[in-house]
Amino acid sequence: MLNKILRFTKIEHTAFSLPLILTGAWMGGQGHWPRLSILSLIVLAAVGARIFGMSFNRIFDRHIDALNPRTAGRELPSGQMDLLTAFSIAMAALAVYLGACIALGRWCVYLSPLPLIPLMGYSLLKRFTIWCHFGIGLCLALAPLGAFVAVAGNPGFSLEVILFAGFVFFWLSGADMIYATLDIESDRANGIFSLPARLGPIGAQWVSAAVHLCALGCLILLLVATSKGGAAWVGLGVTVVLFGLMYMPFVPVSKRFFPIATLAGIAGAITPLLS
């Protein structure tokens, strides 16, 4: 059962969002790392929130997943897990998230419902809008902002963290457009909305490229606004190369999303930390 739960929640993918969260925490500390206890609670909240969102994504999409050969083997559509177990996992993750928020202070408690709305609802967007890819981008963009509040103790967001959240938003939204090209035929056959289903793979890649230019623009503005030194610009260069690899025709689409898009996000997250 444990293996099924781990596969259902894709817990290993949480590790790739940690650099984004830790960078938000570092910005909340105005360039200083918070205590290990605070970082641990931030990571716990992030893990709980992600599992909560992933669980409801799987619950809401179980019938859609059953129609797609790529996703039909997932735990719910294949019958390896029942709906009650999936819902129980989501509720346990929610309890972990809320418990960590309570421990992190009153502002985290006040703001804790806000991420839950897109986390629960982003998977529903594909039922009525081709711009659904921005829903998952919003979910992850809130993560560094939440980490900032946890460390700073208030929602007085700096320009630095706003630009960084913009980078995260555009990076993941564009990457999801690329990933969705794997499901064009299934999406069209089953009435699922996505940019690739509407525009085709070439049109969708042009849109994702424009979105990724916005992501890199946010990162460049961040470095300029904070007067980062040479090492940060080297980090930006690495990030640009990884973004470019997502559009190389010799790279399989599945590899463009993972690991290349993931590595691009990690490189972008590390770049502001370099001085």
Side-chain angles (χ1 to χ4, degrees):
M1 176 57 75
L2 179 59
N3 286 336
K4 288 181 184 178
I5 292 174
L6 293 177
R7 289 197 305 271
F8 176 73
T9 58
K10 293 288 184 183
I11 189 67
E12 69 277 8
H13 288 185
T14 305
F16 300 112
S17 63
L18 289 182
L20 309 170
I21 296 162
L22 295 177
T23 298
W26 179 81
M27 290 176 174
Q30 298 183 341
H32 297 89
W33 291 108
R35 300 192 310 274
L36 182 59
S37 59
I38 299 297
L39 282 177
S40 299
L41 286 169
I42 290 171
V43 170
L44 195 62
V47 171
R50 187 193 175 281
I51 292 176
F52 172 81
M54 175 63 77
S55 298
F56 272 101
N57 175 282
R58 294 287 193 255
I59 291 169
F60 291 150
D61 284 357
R62 64 190 186 279
H63 301 304
I64 293 173
D65 287 345
L67 301 173
N68 186 339
R70 186 180 66 82
T71 57
R74 288 175 176 171
E75 288 69 28
L76 285 176
S78 67
Q80 299 174 57
M81 180 181 290
D82 60 75
L83 196 57
L84 179 60
T85 301
F87 187 75
S88 298
I89 292 169
M91 292 298 98
L94 176 61
V96 169
Y97 166 71
L98 293 176
C101 288
I102 290 170
L104 284 167
R106 62 186 182 93
W107 272 111
C108 289
V109 175
Y110 296 156
L111 299 175
S112 61
L114 296 182
L116 299 178
I117 298 170
L119 281 169
M120 278 193 70
Y122 79 88
S123 66
L124 300 176
L125 295 176
K126 66 171 72 75
R127 290 159 172 80
F128 57 85
T129 175
I130 63 172
W131 305 108
C132 54
H133 313 282
F134 291 104
I136 193 169
L138 175 62
C139 288
L140 196 55
L142 291 174
L145 295 177
F148 179 97
V149 171
V151 176
N154 62 77
F157 299 118
S158 64
L159 175 62
E160 184 180 23
V161 78
I162 291 172
L163 288 171
F164 182 66
F167 164 79
V168 175
F169 173 72
F170 290 118
W171 156 67
L172 187 57
S173 298
D176 192 64
M177 294 174 195
I178 294 174
Y179 187 57
T181 60
L182 292 170
D183 297 326
I184 288 177
E185 297 306 321
S186 177
D187 287 350
R188 287 174 174 171
N190 298 299
I192 303 303
F193 289 83
S194 74
L195 272 169
R198 173 70 63 85
L199 303 177
I202 302 301
Q205 284 190 52
W206 277 108
V207 176
S208 65
V211 171
H212 279 154
L213 285 176
C214 292
L216 293 173
C218 287
L219 200 54
I220 291 169
L221 287 174
L222 192 161
L223 298 186
V224 171
T226 55
S227 303
K228 293 293 183 181
W233 289 97
V234 171
L236 174 66
V238 173
T239 305
V240 169
V241 169
L242 289 167
F243 268 76
L245 283 175
M246 282 189 264
Y247 296 91
M248 296 296 102
F250 59 83
V251 180
V253 173
S254 59
K255 299 295 184 184
R256 295 183 201 180
F257 184 79
F258 183 83
I260 292 174
T262 300
L263 293 173
I266 291 173
I270 293 172
T271 294
L273 304 180
L274 303 174
S275 61

